[in-house]
Amino acid sequence: MAIRSRLGEGLSQEAGFEILNEAVKSGITFFDTADVYGNGKSETLIGEFLKTTQTPIRVATKFGRADNAYPNKYTKAILRQSVEASIARLGVESLDLLQLHCIPIQYLKDGDVFDWLRELKAEGLIKHFGASVETVEEGLICLKQEGLLSLQVIFNIFRQKLVTDLLPQAQVKGVGIIVRLPLASGLLSGKFTKDTVFPENDHRNYNKNGEALTWAKPLQVCHFKKV
């Protein structure tokens, strides 16, 4: 997200390539992106980068938060169009992993979108499908779906409910976990202080009270006991 979204505004292709090259040198061979990151610019940058490296890279992308679908325009046709556009931007024949991108829970419960994903997989447009979710409830709904490969979940020291309520069920189902926000948007990186000021267009500034993004609600106070 950071290389071609609001957090990466003004980032040149050269700088983006430098980041991705450093990742590959460090042994990272899995990139996670989305069609909505920079309105496709993240996928395009990664697609251009793939042409420059001999290292086998797997790329996961997402569908469901762009204006053509969110919040209530989900159809099989729109999904197919989005997948075909992601394939074109990434310069691949088939998507390694397509994840539902925090779509409204009623569509997860209805289940039609999973049937559409299975059809796209059967056609070869996607190799696997998964879901990026915001809550344990959403994750448990997705785990009921046959063929689900992965769940992308928010998991860090502040978000621990998954340990007992979701992760064991995912293990039983053989569903992989992609951890999202492990450093709580940098809060746990050790690089920020109470005097840190974020840019105006950074969600850590404009969403400090949690009203703009459902996944970035204000943190609850955690009390730790010395041992």
Side-chain angles (χ1 to χ4, degrees):
M1 180 175 69
I3 60 174
R4 283 296 182 187
S5 68
R6 285 185 302 241
L7 296 179
E9 281 188 340
L11 189 71
S12 66
Q13 177 171 301
E14 182 181 4
F17 275 24
E18 183 178 355
I19 294 169
L20 296 177
N21 267 312
E22 190 63 32
V24 172
K25 289 179 183 178
S26 299
I28 295 172
T29 57
F30 174 74
F31 295 155
D32 175 76
T33 185
D35 59 350
V36 76
Y37 295 166
N39 292 321
K41 292 179 181 178
S42 176
E43 289 179 328
T44 299
L45 179 68
I46 292 173
E48 290 300 314
F49 175 77
L50 294 178
K51 299 175 184 177
T52 70
T53 180
Q54 298 299 314
T55 303
I57 303 291
R58 285 193 172 93
V59 180
T61 191
K62 307 184 192 75
F63 156 82
R65 295 294 286 198
D67 291 340
N68 66 334
Y70 186 81
N72 56 6
K73 295 173 285 187
Y74 296 96
T75 66
K76 186 193 300 188
I78 288 175
L79 172 59
R80 178 182 294 274
Q81 291 167 9
S82 296
V83 166
E84 291 174 344
S86 291
I87 287 174
R89 286 190 290 265
L90 287 166
V92 296
E93 295 182 357
S94 177
L95 299 180
D96 292 326
L97 174 64
L98 179 68
Q99 304 165 94
L100 299 177
H101 195 179
C102 301
I103 69 173
I105 192 170
Q106 63 264 31
Y107 292 99
L108 298 178
K109 290 180 175 179
D110 176 70
D112 285 347
V113 66
F114 292 102
D115 291 333
W116 305 338
L117 289 170
R118 282 185 276 265
E119 288 182 26
L120 293 177
K121 181 179 178 182
E123 293 179 30
L125 289 177
I126 63 176
K127 295 182 176 73
H128 302 284
F129 64 86
S132 179
V133 298
E134 297 178 339
T135 67
V136 167
E137 181 186 5
E138 292 169 350
L140 292 174
I141 291 170
C142 293
L143 283 177
K144 297 177 182 178
Q145 291 294 331
E146 187 69 29
L148 188 84
L149 181 74
S150 64
L151 278 178
Q152 185 171 138
V153 294
I154 302 173
F155 186 45
N156 54 52
I157 198 170
F158 300 109
R159 301 287 286 268
Q160 292 282 301
K161 186 178 179 182
L162 288 74
V163 175
T164 56
D165 293 359
L166 180 65
L167 299 187
Q169 290 89 329
Q171 184 176 29
V172 169
K173 291 278 190 176
V175 172
I177 296 296
I178 302 172
V179 174
R180 177 179 168 204
L181 299 175
L183 296 180
S185 297
L187 182 63
L188 299 173
S189 68
K191 296 184 178 182
F192 302 141
T193 72
K194 64 181 180 179
D195 298 318
T196 299
V197 177
F198 296 107
E200 183 179 347
N201 62 348
D202 191 309
H203 74 83
R204 290 166 294 188
N205 179 8
Y206 70 77
N207 193 54
K208 60 185 177 181
N209 294 318
E211 66 277 4
L213 300 172
T214 55
W215 54 263
K217 297 297 184 185
L219 295 172
Q220 295 180 345
V221 176
C222 296
H223 299 282
F224 299 96
K225 183 185 297 184
K226 290 184 178 181
V227 294

